[in-house]
Amino acid sequence: MLGPPGSGKGTRAHIISELYDLPVITTGDMLRTAVAEGTECGKIAKSYMDKGELVPDDIVNGVVRERFQKPDVEDGFILDGFPRSKGQADALDQILEDNNIELTHVILVVLDDKVIVERLSKRRSCPKCGEIYHLESKPPKKQGVCDVCGAALIQRDDDKPDVIKHRLEVYAEQTKPLIKKYRDQGLILETSGVIPMDQLRDHLKELLG
Ligand code: AMP
């Protein structure tokens, strides 16, 4: 899944995972878990994540490489939020080659920066189960409480306006150039980030054939 922060990569990855019974490898979640557990990687990652910067390639590549040791990737997987830089794309090429895996699609989610800022600043997340809400389009039933697990909802530090703007700059500088690489390989499938939730499943089914 490729696309700016807040474009809906996670939502789409989740639906595709259900449609095709594939595990989702979400680097953002893996890094947040490392931060919560207070591991060495987590401590380093936190300082970058709080500022909306990319966590250094060697850490992220290491986390992803380790994830590929698990047997559940054997029949396919969805990468959500990785690669995000040239160094990561090179590492992914190497991981795929080492594991004799072929990349079949790169789904590019396209969304306007203005919509992203609006969407992310009203996003609330459950720190316990990962469920995502939006104050207007998907509010929790009870204000501030997760519908799924009852935990108190939070606004991620990096979903605050200044940090969002910086994340968009980082995306434009470091991640956007990857679009050309995957377009040249004929792998890009483009999808809009504003498709209504109730149409998303059918849309993705059609997109992936
Ligand atoms: P996300 O939940 O995908 O928006 O990621 C949240 C934050 O985690 C990003 O702003 C980065 O600081 C960090 N992060 C997630 N994935 C990566 C990655 N592939 N490379 C570097 N940093 C990442």
Side-chain angles (χ1 to χ4, degrees):
M1 308 294 307
L2 203 59
S7 55
K9 297 188 295 294
T11 305
R12 284 156 181 71
H14 189 74
I15 295 171
I16 297 167
S17 157
E18 279 179 2
L19 281 172
Y20 299 96
D21 196 19
L22 297 172
V24 187
I25 301 175
T26 307
T27 46
D29 285 348
M30 289 156 89
L31 292 168
R32 276 185 289 277
T33 302
V35 171
E37 288 172 349
T39 64
E40 274 315 302
C41 274
K43 280 181 199 153
I44 301 169
K46 185 175 185 328
S47 60
Y48 291 89
M49 294 169 83
D50 285 349
K51 289 184 282 189
E53 302 275 347
L54 291 188
V55 173
D57 286 350
D58 55 343
I59 294 187
V60 182
N61 292 342
V63 167
V64 173
R65 191 172 273 284
E66 201 179 303
R67 179 64 182 79
F68 271 84
Q69 303 298 318
K70 288 200 189 167
D72 65 341
V73 298
E74 269 168 21
D75 296 325
F77 52 85
I78 303 158
L79 281 171
D80 171 19
F82 181 92
R84 257 160 141 131
S85 67
K86 179 167 186 315
Q88 293 179 18
D90 292 344
L92 177 61
D93 285 343
Q94 193 60 55
I95 293 171
L96 295 176
E97 198 185 314
D98 294 349
N99 292 280
N100 208 13
I101 297 168
E102 190 193 348
L103 203 60
T104 55
H105 306 92
V106 175
I107 300 175
L108 173 65
V109 192
V110 182
L111 190 61
D112 198 70
D113 280 7
K114 253 167 112 182
V115 184
I116 291 172
V117 175
E118 201 276 337
R119 195 182 269 186
L120 285 183
S121 52
K122 291 189 178 154
R123 177 162 82 171
R124 295 295 179 268
S125 321
C126 175
K128 201 165 160 204
C129 73
E131 190 70 7
I132 304 286
Y133 299 87
H134 183 275
L135 294 182
E136 279 159 21
S137 61
K138 193 194 167 195
K141 291 195 183 87
K142 190 176 166 206
Q143 196 186 342
V145 178
C146 178
D147 293 351
V148 180
C149 73
L153 299 179
I154 56 155
Q155 179 177 33
R156 279 171 40 181
D157 284 338
D158 61 351
D159 278 348
K160 294 181 178 158
D162 284 355
V163 186
I164 295 171
K165 287 205 186 100
H166 188 55
R167 287 166 70 196
L168 287 170
E169 286 163 11
V170 169
Y171 174 77
E173 276 166 28
Q174 302 197 49
T175 311
K176 233 174 171 180
L178 302 186
I179 297 173
K180 183 176 184 313
K181 168 186 165 77
Y182 293 119
R183 213 183 278 289
D184 290 348
Q185 290 179 25
L187 293 174
I188 295 269
L189 291 178
E190 227 172 273
T191 173
S192 158
V194 287
I195 293 167
M197 268 306 275
D198 60 349
Q199 294 169 24
L200 207 45
R201 198 183 151 88
D202 286 345
H203 164 79
L204 290 169
K205 237 176 168 173
E206 205 176 305
L207 185 75
L208 288 160

